[in-house]
Amino acid sequence: MLPLASVHVLLLILLVFASAAFQSQTETISNPSKEFVTSKADRMELLLLDRELISNLVQYTEELQNKVHVLQRFAMAMSIPIEAAKGREEEYLSNPLHSFRLIRHMHEDWRQLEKFMRQPGGQDQINFLKEKTMELASREDAEDATEAIYRIVRTYDVQAADIVQGLIDGVQYNGSISAIDCFSLGTLHFQWGEYDKAAQFLSFSLEMVEPEYYSVYDVLGFASSEVFMLLARCLVEMDLEDDARTTLMAHPSLADHSERLLTLYTNTRHVQVSEELKPDLTEQYNQICRSSHQNKPSRLHCRYNATTTPFLRLAPLRMEELSLDPYIVVYHNVLSDAEISEVVRIAEPLLVRSSVYIVEKEKSKKSTARTSLGAWIPDHDDKMDVSGWPLVERFLRRIRDMTGMKINEQQYMQLIKYGFGGHYDLHFDYFNSTRKITQAMGDRMATVLFYLNDARHGGSTVFSHLQLKVPSERGKVLFWFNMRGETHDLDTQTIHGSCPVIDGTKTVLSCWIKELDQMFIRPTYRPGNRNFIS
Ligand SMILES: *[C@@H]1O[C@H](CO)[C@@H](O)[C@H](O)[C@H]1NC(C)=O
Ligand SMILES: *[C@@H]1O[C@H](CO)[C@@H](O)[C@H](O)[C@H]1NC(C)=O
Ligand SMILES: *[C@@H]1O[C@H](CO)[C@@H](O)[C@H](O)[C@H]1NC(C)=O
């Protein structure tokens, strides 16, 4: 029995580490090359590995059971003569056969048994598991996955009760999450200062604890006392001290310390992580992302635009104008299936975690504002296979045909892939900078976005100022001007983002048309609202 003081110290330690407690026990740096959140193929490997590890575990239990079985037999065999001697020991020991047997047995058999008992059971399975830990998901993967669900919960306004039932943004998903999953979500919401949501998840975690799995929770290092403590702490942050007290009193090993814990929580208020480390997910963006948002009916109609190039006279594209100011259009059925699979094939090996360009620092940085993978085509390090060039040229020609704009031969495109929870906060595509990034070709005058697949749920492109949502649908192309026609003023109405993907992935190909490439077809006036290019 531990003295009270050390129980308190222990609780304190638990409390300090409550946030990272569960994860820290499963620390591994493994498989940095895998993208378990973004890539379903990589997740498939995890699923298959899980299946393999379960069958390994079953083999392990069989090995142990075999050993138990042998030991039970052994005990039974050894007990027969000794049972027979019960009550007539004198007679037993005067029999020479029994005497011989006893002495031989007491010399050899127990020594042999000791050797057998020492033999590790299931060593092969233990080694197999150890070997496979290299292929497990890392702590960073687990954090990324938790953050992905956080974004879905936040953007689509999902209640903890709905997540637990599998209901997200009006769609019923199969399957559920466990008490430990709920604890992870509660912990993340707590860290980010969303105590109300955290308390909801923690309460569900407690509700989902299944008494028949207590021994499993022990192995997993999951203690319900941690959930109770974190829940009480959330309630203190929400100024609900009485509820916090009731929560602590409800746990047998916390009840005696409840007043001390309450004082501690009240005196050491939680410092939430800096806003910079959280995605923006503004309410305006969230609202439009939700399925409850419908674009305003517009009187704009579809027509075949066959005016820009001779190509379009032969193959007119169905064009839909979504907005006239700023000018935003969608072209339908632009790409063939073969073109789509070819561009994905070229880009797939070049994908890396996307970053955000920081104009002041003149470099790109990994950011929570954007959670996707990206690949430059062609890539900057010439890693792209030369067989991709004709396709790149074909895409650039298609852009020229659609938009009537001039496209530089050295134009880069970027393939962007969003996995579940993958998003891009509201942003502008232009840089508004006099620095290096815009010196050669000017700023990004227009954006062309090819949608390469259907995101089954979520993943729309949204223009918050225009209250406009564009679902990600395979084969269509979104085109808009980031500058105003006459003046080339940067158009702040083009602020846009990408909603978190819920189901499936979203793959797009982006191309930014440069201002100075248009010099001879669109005369530039002196722009009024930005940094000048000197
Ligand atoms: C749930 O499972 C059923 C049967 O397997 C399937 O038909 C249905 O499409 C699934 N629902 C979702 C949202 O995945
Ligand atoms: C065709 O598209 C171009 C570029 O988007 C546009 O300037 C032109 O007005 C369109 N023509 C028609 C008939 O809509
Ligand atoms: C561009 O930057 C300049 C200088 O910082 C600022 O005055 C202007 O408002 C910015 N323009 C836009 C459209 O953000």
Side-chain angles (χ1 to χ4, degrees):
M1 189 71 198
L2 287 169
L4 253 187
S6 41
V7 169
H8 197 173
V9 170
L10 195 76
L11 288 177
L12 258 174
I13 293 170
L14 279 178
L15 163 88
V16 172
F17 291 104
S19 50
F22 187 64
Q23 287 91 332
S24 64
Q25 288 164 13
T26 49
E27 178 79 73
T28 44
I29 303 297
S30 36
N31 248 342
S33 60
K34 298 289 173 183
E35 291 293 344
F36 295 124
V37 175
T38 321
S39 160
K40 196 159 87 176
D42 286 356
R43 263 196 321 280
M44 180 63 86
E45 286 176 25
L46 271 192
L47 185 81
L48 296 178
L49 177 61
D50 200 17
R51 210 168 266 166
E52 215 178 344
L53 291 178
I54 288 168
S55 104
N56 179 63
L57 174 60
V58 170
Q59 276 172 27
Y60 179 67
T61 62
E62 283 165 4
E63 289 279 319
L64 294 188
Q65 255 157 8
N66 270 342
K67 187 166 179 177
V68 168
H69 204 68
V70 170
L71 292 172
Q72 281 168 337
R73 283 281 162 100
F74 190 95
M76 211 198 304
M78 293 305 119
S79 70
I80 292 171
I82 221 73
E83 283 298 315
K86 220 172 222 167
R88 45 185 195 92
E89 283 81 5
E90 290 290 328
E91 181 203 329
Y92 187 84
L93 291 176
S94 54
N95 180 326
L97 296 179
H98 290 157
S99 300
F100 160 64
R101 182 179 186 158
L102 177 69
I103 295 167
R104 196 225 35 89
H105 161 69
M106 291 309 283
H107 168 62
E108 290 176 5
D109 298 352
W110 293 112
R111 288 191 170 86
Q112 289 297 343
L113 179 69
E114 193 214 321
K115 272 190 222 151
F116 177 75
M117 285 167 79
R118 280 191 189 284
Q119 272 171 25
Q123 202 57 38
D124 288 350
Q125 287 78 21
I126 297 174
N127 291 341
F128 180 81
L129 178 55
K130 192 163 176 203
E131 226 170 80
K132 291 291 176 179
T133 52
M134 295 303 291
E135 293 168 36
L136 296 171
S138 67
R139 174 187 188 158
E140 202 182 10
D141 295 323
E143 283 170 0
D144 285 352
T146 316
E147 289 174 19
I149 296 292
Y150 167 87
R151 287 188 294 273
I152 291 174
V153 164
R154 171 91 184 269
T155 295
Y156 298 98
D157 191 27
V158 188
Q159 302 307 306
D162 291 337
I163 277 274
V164 166
Q165 310 256 326
L167 184 65
I168 303 175
D169 189 41
V171 175
Q172 181 62 54
Y173 287 89
N174 294 321
S176 56
I177 56 176
S178 70
I180 303 179
D181 298 330
C182 272
F183 180 53
S184 282
L185 289 171
T187 305
L188 184 76
H189 280 86
F190 173 77
Q191 283 167 338
W192 287 2
E194 296 179 32
Y195 306 115
D196 184 19
K197 264 274 160 43
Q200 287 179 31
F201 278 111
L202 295 169
S203 304
F204 273 106
S205 174
L206 291 176
E207 232 172 77
M208 293 163 95
V209 164
E210 295 174 79
E212 71 264 37
Y213 284 125
Y214 276 155
S215 59
V216 175
Y217 295 142
D218 273 350
V219 175
L220 296 174
F222 173 72
S224 63
S225 59
E226 281 182 38
V227 189
F228 276 92
M229 284 194 289
L230 193 57
L231 176 56
R233 213 170 158 201
C234 285
L235 294 167
V236 168
E237 295 299 331
M238 293 157 74
D239 294 321
L240 299 171
E241 260 195 46
D242 289 342
D243 293 342
R245 182 176 294 105
T246 316
T247 301
L248 293 170
M249 295 301 287
H251 195 278
S253 65
L254 299 177
D256 287 347
H257 313 288
S258 59
E259 289 310 319
R260 262 185 290 172
L261 285 170
L262 273 182
T263 313
L264 180 73
Y265 298 160
T266 316
N267 294 340
T268 50
R269 283 303 179 110
H270 176 236
V271 184
Q272 40 170 299
V273 300
S274 122
E275 288 294 321
E276 247 172 68
L277 298 172
K278 296 169 59 176
D280 227 2
L281 306 174
T282 57
E283 215 28 48
Q284 210 185 8
Y285 157 98
N286 293 339
Q287 294 274 351
I288 305 173
C289 285
R290 292 174 197 156
S291 60
S292 52
H293 172 87
Q294 297 291 329
N295 287 345
K296 280 201 204 82
S298 74
R299 36 176 202 83
L300 304 172
H301 50 272
C302 295
R303 60 185 149 183
Y304 286 88
N305 183 334
T307 55
T308 48
T309 66
F311 163 81
L312 288 177
R313 244 166 264 146
L314 296 173
L317 290 171
R318 197 156 63 85
M319 183 184 100
E320 187 184 348
E321 286 171 330
L322 299 180
S323 160
L324 293 176
D325 179 21
Y327 191 64
I328 305 179
V329 295
V330 166
Y331 299 93
H332 293 277
N333 305 321
V334 178
L335 299 174
S336 70
D337 286 349
E339 285 167 326
I340 291 178
S341 41
E342 181 65 3
V343 74
V344 170
R345 187 192 65 77
I346 292 170
E348 198 84 29
L350 307 172
L351 286 169
V352 291
R353 175 73 195 260
S354 301
S355 45
V356 169
Y357 189 83
I358 314 288
V359 168
E360 299 77 37
K361 301 213 167 104
E362 300 203 305
K363 62 175 179 214
S364 297
K365 218 174 138 238
K366 192 175 151 181
S367 159
T368 48
R370 183 177 191 189
T371 46
S372 57
L373 301 180
W376 287 103
I377 312 176
D379 71 304
H380 297 281
D381 310 324
D382 286 331
K383 269 184 288 180
M384 195 181 91
D385 152 10
V386 286
S387 71
W389 275 104
L391 186 79
V392 169
E393 279 162 17
R394 197 148 81 206
F395 269 78
L396 295 178
R397 203 177 324 123
R398 194 73 50 84
I399 296 171
R400 221 171 292 146
D401 291 341
M402 277 186 302
T403 64
M405 298 184 84
K406 195 163 161 18
I407 310 293
N408 188 328
E409 293 300 326
Q410 269 93 54
Q411 178 71 45
Y412 284 105
M413 294 184 290
Q414 195 183 33
L415 185 126
I416 307 161
K417 192 167 167 184
Y418 299 89
F420 79 93
H423 87 300
Y424 198 168
D425 277 343
L426 291 177
H427 65 281
F428 302 106
D429 278 1
Y430 53 71
F431 296 108
N432 188 24
S433 161
T434 53
R435 300 180 198 232
K436 215 164 52 202
I437 188 103
T438 54
Q439 267 164 13
M441 301 312 303
D443 214 328
R444 292 165 167 179
M445 176 177 238
T447 301
V448 184
L449 204 58
F450 293 86
Y451 294 90
L452 304 183
N453 75 343
D454 294 315
R456 276 190 298 274
H457 189 187
S460 296
T461 305
V462 295
F463 292 82
S464 55
H465 184 83
L466 307 168
Q467 296 276 308
L468 180 67
K469 169 157 67 187
V470 184
S472 172
E473 289 159 340
R474 184 179 168 97
K476 82 185 186 190
V477 178
L478 184 65
F479 170 73
W480 73 87
F481 282 103
N482 295 307
M483 297 179 185
R484 301 184 66 83
E486 290 278 286
T487 58
H488 284 209
D489 278 348
L490 302 175
D491 195 340
T492 55
Q493 298 182 91
T494 59
I495 188 163
H496 63 283
S498 180
C499 299
V501 172
I502 302 173
D503 185 6
T505 48
K506 168 185 176 181
T507 311
V508 293
L509 182 72
S510 227
C511 182
W512 295 281
I513 297 175
K514 302 292 167 53
E515 183 178 13
L516 297 189
D517 279 335
Q518 314 311 315
M519 212 139 54
F520 302 109
I521 53 170
R522 281 182 164 252
T524 312
Y525 293 96
R526 205 175 151 78
N529 72 340
R530 60 174 150 148
N531 285 317
F532 295 115
I533 298 152
S534 47

